[in-house]
Structures are given as C-alpha cells and as structure tokens.
Amino acid sequence: MVVKANIAGISSPRDLQRSLVDAQYLADDALATTAYLSLALGKPLLLEGAPGVGKTEAAKALGGVLGREVIRLQCFEGIDAAAALYEWNYPRQMLAIRQAADQGVNLYSEDFLLERPLLAALRNPTRSLLLIDEIDRADQEFEAFLLEFLSDFSISIPETGTIRAIQAPVVVLTSNRTRDLHEALRRRCVYHWIDYPDADLEARIVMARASTVARATADAVVASVGLLRAEPLAKPPGVAETVEWAEAATLLNAQGARWPDAFRRAIGVAIKDQDDLTYLSDRLAAILPGQAA
C-alpha cells in the first residue's frame, strides 16, 4: 500500500477541515480525519447516515477541495452494469450501417460508445471524484459487481478490450442504511457514520449557507428542527431543510409576517409529507420558536 501524506496540498485532517470550510462545508474532526485517511490510503470513503445529514454534500465539497469534477452515479432499484459502465448507441449504429451501404463501418468505435459514470471516472482518474450515491438502493448483485470494479478499477469491453485506470480514482460511496451492505464492500472502504449535527454546528451551517438569516433566527430554527426530529415522522427534516426553513421564514418576516407566524407559514419548506403535517398540526405551537431576530 502506498500512503500519500500530502494530497493536493492537504497534509493533515486539520488542513482538510479548513479547506472544507472554504468550500462551505463544516465538517467535524471525525469526518475530516476519516476523509483525509481515505485520501492518504487511497481507499474509497463510505459515508452512512440518515437522509439529509449531508453525505452527498460532503462528497461534492471534497471534490471542490481537490479541484476535481464530481462524477455521480445515482443508484436505484434495478440498476445494472450498463447504466453504470457504458452502452453502445444502437440507433446511431443502425443509421451508420444504412448510410455506409456497401462500405465498411466500425460499429464499435468511440463515436458509438455512450460513456457512463464508472467508465468516465476510469478515463480521468486524476481529474475526477467518483460519487456512488445511495448504494443501499441497489440490489446485492449490483453491489457484488461494484466490489469487483473497486478491486482493480478496470472495465472489460468485449468489442474493444480492457480499459484500466492509470491510478485509483478518488471514490466516495453513500448509504442511507436502508439495508446492510456486504461485509466485503465495507472492508474495502474507510468508513464514517454522519449523524445530524449538534445544535451549535447546525446553526453555524445555517449562517454559512444562508445570506440573510440572523443568528437568533438560526438558533431558533435549529432548536425547532431538533424537536421535529424527535417526533415519529416519516420524513424528518435534514440539514438542507433547516437552512431553507430559516431563509424562508426570514423572507416572510421581511415581508411583514410576525414571529412565530413566519415559521408556521414556511413549515412546508421543512416538512414535506402530508401525514407528517397532519400529525404535527396540533403540536406545532409547542415546537415553533416564539421569537427571532
């Protein structure tokens, strides 16, 4: 194993943490350390946590810090290798055959190859970050295929040959833990669980992401979101919803809505499920903040 202590000018977890702040992502010490070790050891980074805690945003921020294009493979139920690797453009191949008539045509040239995320990352491993998002939504067969891909970073195309990365690309996987991932995949990665941030960190995230929100408003929204997450909701608000709720309530207040009515009127920014809204209808008075600046 080749260990790189310095990656793109980042020589410690503290350096990475400061760089992520510049990219408007506030990472705690544990996340910064895990991400740095992933880069130093050349291993994929596996981020798990509830929806909305900032896993995808962490990967995007890391790509920005490294100066790399983030190539995103969004997983879904039924995803197969063709959607992740490559496909041949069959309609264009058929058109080329008709146009060529009796002349020969190479149907497996680059002109007919549709590049998908894994192939794109292999071809530009030094300029890209491969984000495999929500791997838990894919089935176990695709997970096994992905494990093989991560072992040697190569793709075999029967018609043209094998494409192998000149070096291992930076890879980040995310999971909402709707199912357990295979132990072999976990062993191949550096692992970190991202939880909802504590109140102070989440308020600082609001202040960093929102341009017009006062600190008192940020604190009030964060406190209310904490109470909402303690309720048995189908879709509790994530960090992005916290930021957006603070911004929306601030906008309504600037247009004349009083506190806490501004929070109440903007509740659809934070809660996005009708059953949850119905459940909370009689409880909002105890959850919503009373005053904000």
Side-chain angles (χ1 to χ4, degrees):
M1 176 185 296
V2 178
V3 178
K4 298 180 180 179
N6 190 298
I7 308 97
I10 298 170
S11 58
S12 69
R14 182 67 67 181
D15 285 346
L16 180 56
Q17 190 175 31
R18 285 194 290 261
S19 297
L20 288 171
V21 170
D22 293 337
Q24 290 193 315
Y25 189 91
L26 303 185
D28 59 18
D29 292 339
L31 175 56
T33 299
T34 305
Y36 170 77
L37 291 176
S38 169
L39 296 173
L41 299 176
K43 295 172 70 68
L45 174 63
L46 173 58
L47 300 176
E48 275 196 323
V53 295
K55 302 182 296 296
T56 301
E57 288 302 312
K60 292 179 179 179
L62 186 60
V65 166
L66 298 175
R68 295 180 176 226
E69 176 192 5
V70 176
I71 299 176
R72 182 179 183 180
L73 173 62
Q74 176 62 57
C75 297
F76 54 88
E77 185 177 354
I79 188 174
D80 58 10
L85 292 172
Y86 69 91
E87 290 182 285
W88 292 108
N89 191 333
Y90 294 115
R92 190 170 181 181
Q93 286 175 322
M94 296 301 296
L95 179 61
I97 291 174
R98 289 196 294 268
Q99 291 178 338
D102 295 333
Q103 300 177 0
V105 57
N106 180 8
L107 297 178
Y108 299 107
S109 67
E110 284 288 328
D111 293 338
F112 303 107
L113 186 63
L114 298 176
E115 190 178 74
R116 300 308 185 207
L118 298 188
L119 178 57
L122 286 191
R123 285 179 158 177
N124 295 286
T126 62
R127 299 195 300 271
S128 62
L129 180 149
L130 175 61
L131 168 59
I132 303 173
D133 218 4
E134 298 184 312
I135 180 61
D136 55 316
R137 295 182 61 185
D139 56 30
Q140 294 183 350
E141 289 75 13
F142 183 80
E143 187 181 334
F145 154 76
L146 187 61
L147 180 63
E148 181 179 354
F149 170 81
L150 294 175
S151 67
D152 56 13
F153 291 106
S154 67
I155 292 175
S156 179
I157 302 178
E159 297 85 358
T160 61
T162 299
I163 298 175
R164 188 180 303 274
I166 57 176
Q167 69 179 58
V170 175
V171 180
V172 178
L173 301 93
T174 73
S175 168
N176 295 330
R177 206 168 187 178
T178 57
R179 68 171 178 85
D180 287 335
L181 301 180
H182 196 281
E183 186 63 25
L185 181 62
R186 291 182 178 277
R187 286 199 304 268
R188 193 164 296 282
C189 302
V190 179
Y191 176 83
H192 184 72
W193 172 267
I194 299 184
D195 208 343
Y196 289 115
D198 61 36
D200 178 68
L201 178 57
E202 191 160 15
R204 288 193 288 121
I205 292 172
V206 172
M207 297 303 295
R209 292 296 185 95
S211 58
T212 60
V213 175
R215 178 60 193 242
T217 302
D219 289 336
V221 168
V222 167
S224 294
V225 167
L227 295 175
L228 289 171
R229 289 173 184 156
E231 299 287 343
L233 303 180
K235 297 181 180 180
V239 177
E241 282 76 28
T242 305
V243 176
E244 291 167 358
W245 194 17
E247 288 187 306
T250 298
L251 175 62
L252 292 179
N253 177 253
Q255 295 176 352
R258 295 179 177 274
W259 307 111
D261 188 50
F263 291 113
R264 184 185 299 275
R265 291 174 59 189
I267 191 64
V269 176
I271 302 298
K272 302 176 181 179
D273 182 88
Q274 178 57 35
D275 290 339
D276 288 344
L277 287 172
T278 300
Y279 170 78
L280 291 169
S281 60
D282 297 330
R283 306 170 64 87
L284 279 181
I287 291 174
L288 295 177
Q291 299 294 328

